[in-house]
């Protein structure tokens, strides 16, 4: 069904994407060394310190891993939580609209993703929040694999949507112009 050129292009894209994904994977593995840490301010409260930002000594330096200026990953860590944000490549206005609609669709269903935030960090397309309780319930390696697979799949989905949109627009334009040719 797919042409040989599109398969070659996909392989080339996968090869250029590998170092970026490897860097994100290894950084996530290092950042996901979390532990239970109750609030220092309020007794019997256990909130993600990366969200609350109550004590600066509990926060780690944020790490930005950038493939390009538009496509980057922000990993913000603390003693009991990690926030991972992605900026998805948006080359033009069509990709910007598709990305916004698709990520909004996913974020509205964030309960099914468990670790997905409803609102991304400013300047990023989508964000995840991983706490120590998530790591107690889930396997760390599988969580990292999910995030990496999510990064790969979201780019493929947006590219596929763009191709489908362009082919539909071409068909509509051909049908519209047939009336003028006749």
């Amino acid at each position: 069904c797919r042409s040989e050129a599109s398969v070659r292009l996909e392989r080339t894209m996968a090869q250029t994407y590998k170092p970026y994904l490897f860097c994100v994977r290894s950084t996530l593995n290092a950042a996901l060394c979390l532990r239970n840490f109750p609030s220092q301010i309020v007794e019997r409260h256990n909130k993600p310190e990366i969200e609350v930002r109550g004590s600066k000594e509990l926060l780690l330096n944020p790490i930005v891993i950038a493939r390009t200026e538009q496509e980057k990953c922000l990993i913000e860590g603390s003693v009991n939580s990690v926030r991972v944000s992605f900026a998805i490549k948006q080359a033009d206005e069509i990709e910007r609209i598709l990305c916004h609609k698709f990520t909004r669709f996913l974020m509205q269903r964030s309960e099914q993703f468990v670790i997905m935030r409803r609102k991304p960090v400013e300047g990023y397309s989508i964000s995840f929040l991983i706490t120590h309780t998530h790591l107690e319930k889930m396997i760390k390696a599988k969580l990292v694999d999910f995030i990496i697979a999510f990064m790969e799949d979201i780019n493929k989905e947006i590219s596929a949507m763009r191709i489908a949109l362009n082919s539909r627009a071409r068909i509509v334009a051909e049908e519209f112009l047939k009336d003028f040719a006749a």
Side-chain angles (χ1 to χ4, degrees):
C1 216
R2 296 184 318 180
S3 70
E4 187 179 318
S6 67
V7 171
R8 262 188 277 127
L9 178 66
E10 190 174 302
R11 278 193 209 129
T12 306
M13 288 294 288
Q15 292 300 320
T16 60
Y17 209 52
K18 271 186 180 178
Y20 173 66
L21 294 177
F22 178 77
C23 189
V24 171
R25 179 185 295 279
S26 58
T27 307
L28 275 175
N29 276 323
L32 288 176
C33 295
L34 306 176
R35 65 185 208 108
N36 186 13
F37 194 86
S39 174
Q40 294 179 322
I41 301 166
V42 182
E43 191 175 330
R44 296 183 183 210
H45 277 245
N46 198 335
K47 306 241 184 214
E49 288 295 328
I50 200 68
E51 297 280 317
V52 176
R53 297 194 176 274
S55 304
K56 287 193 176 196
E57 65 270 6
L58 300 176
L59 302 175
L60 301 173
N61 291 331
I63 299 169
V64 177
I65 302 167
R67 184 169 180 237
T68 63
E69 277 194 34
Q70 299 170 335
E71 192 173 9
K72 56 189 174 182
C73 172
L74 172 68
I75 301 173
E76 301 170 286
S78 72
V79 70
N80 67 351
S81 58
V82 172
R83 183 169 51 201
V84 183
S85 304
F86 298 107
I88 300 166
K89 183 184 72 161
Q90 301 162 21
D92 57 10
E93 192 61 33
I94 291 173
E95 281 188 6
R96 212 168 285 119
I97 292 168
L98 288 173
C99 180
H100 174 71
K101 295 286 185 189
F102 189 59
T103 55
R104 202 175 102 217
F105 171 81
L106 291 173
M107 286 184 286
Q108 287 174 342
R109 289 145 184 86
S110 62
E111 293 84 30
Q112 282 105 9
F113 287 101
V114 181
I115 60 171
M116 187 179 289
R117 293 181 78 229
R118 281 201 171 273
K119 189 173 182 198
V121 173
E122 187 69 33
Y124 289 85
S125 306
I126 200 156
S127 294
F128 295 97
L129 177 68
I130 304 166
T131 63
H132 75 281
T133 54
H134 293 128
L135 289 180
E136 288 172 358
K137 295 175 185 171
M138 300 177 215
I139 301 169
K140 176 180 158 181
K142 297 286 185 186
L143 206 54
V144 172
D145 289 344
F146 167 76
I147 291 174
I148 298 299
F150 184 87
M151 288 174 63
E152 290 174 323
D153 292 346
I154 200 162
N155 283 329
K156 287 178 189 172
E157 286 293 326
I158 291 173
S159 295
M161 285 190 291
R162 181 187 175 99
I163 290 169
L165 181 73
N166 285 342
S167 65
R168 285 178 67 189
R170 187 178 312 111
I171 292 168
V172 168
E174 285 174 358
E175 287 299 317
F176 181 73
L177 293 175
K178 277 183 185 176
D179 294 340
F180 293 111

